[in-house]
Amino acid sequence: MSTGVFSVFEYYLVGFRRAWPATLLSAFGLPLLTLLGIGLGVGHYLTTDFDGIPYLRWIVPGLIASTALNLAVGNSTWPVLAKLSWTGTYGTQLATPLRVADILTGHLAFVLFRVLTSCLALLAVAAGFGALGSATALLTIPITLLLALSVAAPTFAYASAVPSETYFSALSRFAVMPMSLFAGVFFPISTLPEPVRVLAYASPLWSAVCLIRAAVQGVPTPWPAAAHVLYLAVWAALGWLAAYRLFRRRLAG
């Protein structure tokens, strides 16, 4: 991490240091309620195992991945547009020796940090339920960060391209919600019609769910693991390049 990127990252950490106690309830409370309500509640009425795994354990990888997805999107929409259009934070940072790449990458690093802390909390809750079935469960951490980057970087580009926050509801309605519902989080995508299944395959969330499920439960991935990783990396790289070009255009204007 370069000095400029670290300086931007440190700027966000200073602000987060004052606000982190307010995140504890959502970090631990929501995963606990979700596992109780869906994992145990819904799972109680399911008479068959999923891939030979009880539903409570089967759903944990999907919950980790969808949590990372929603956190990455939430921290890459309004905060980015606000700093570009409302508060002028990015413009102020650019007036220092910081470069556009430093500003973009430092903010992305903070988004990954937020995702990391929340997903560690979710892993701790899942471990308390005995839902981590493999010693390789710690591989969930780099997979989750890669998913967060593959989602956050394109969302940064989207947030810097739209004229107002009203466009974020379309992003949620037509991208985030369908991915959360149809990318293997709550049920296997093999139960979906073929056209919908193809859309699920195109989702970065599905690749992350497959990788996390393999890490947590020791099951094989539908594609080679390297293909899933490469797919997520392509999303992250193309998203960063698009965000960089749009940031440079907006901040130069």
Side-chain angles (χ1 to χ4, degrees):
M1 186 181 293
S2 69
T3 303
V5 172
F6 181 79
S7 297
V8 175
F9 178 60
E10 187 180 26
Y11 163 78
Y12 292 108
L13 281 183
V14 170
F16 182 69
R17 186 175 60 188
R18 303 188 187 98
W20 72 267
T23 67
L24 290 178
L25 178 61
S26 61
F28 288 95
L30 291 180
L32 178 61
L33 292 175
T34 302
L35 287 176
L36 287 173
I38 299 180
L40 288 178
V42 175
H44 175 73
Y45 294 97
L46 299 176
T47 57
T48 58
D49 290 343
F50 285 69
D51 301 325
I53 300 169
Y55 188 64
L56 173 64
R57 286 179 53 196
W58 187 89
I59 200 176
V60 164
L63 290 179
I64 294 172
S66 64
T67 297
L69 168 74
N70 283 279
L71 282 170
V73 171
N75 285 277
S76 304
T77 48
W78 282 276
V80 172
L81 183 61
K83 291 173 177 60
L84 278 171
S85 303
W86 304 333
T87 65
T89 302
Y90 289 150
T92 302
Q93 291 175 337
L94 193 60
T96 70
L98 294 172
R99 302 167 302 168
V100 172
D102 297 329
I103 295 168
L104 170 61
T105 307
H107 195 174
L108 277 170
F110 178 70
V111 173
L112 298 188
F113 171 77
R114 288 297 312 278
V115 170
L116 173 64
T117 54
S118 295
C119 288
L120 284 175
L122 207 163
L123 277 173
V125 172
F129 279 86
L132 303 182
S134 173
T136 59
L138 288 178
L139 291 175
T140 297
I141 296 171
I143 298 167
T144 300
L145 292 178
L146 180 57
L147 168 64
L149 185 59
S150 72
V151 172
T155 306
F156 266 60
Y158 180 81
S160 60
V162 298
S164 72
E165 71 276 11
T166 57
Y167 288 81
F168 295 150
S169 60
L171 177 66
S172 176
R173 187 175 298 117
F174 297 112
V176 177
M177 188 65 69
M179 276 196 288
S180 299
L181 292 177
F182 303 118
V185 174
F186 301 105
F187 53 85
I189 67 169
S190 58
T191 61
L192 294 171
E194 187 64 34
V196 181
R197 203 181 308 169
V198 171
L199 293 176
Y201 292 147
S203 162
L205 180 61
W206 178 72
S207 284
V209 170
C210 294
L211 289 171
I212 295 174
R213 189 158 283 139
V216 170
Q217 297 162 351
V219 298
T221 55
W223 300 346
H228 287 294
V229 171
L230 179 61
Y231 187 63
L232 292 173
V234 168
W235 271 91
L238 294 180
W240 189 93
L241 289 173
Y244 175 73
R245 292 186 64 181
L246 289 164
F247 265 50
R248 190 170 58 179
R249 184 183 306 167
R250 286 286 299 269
L251 293 174

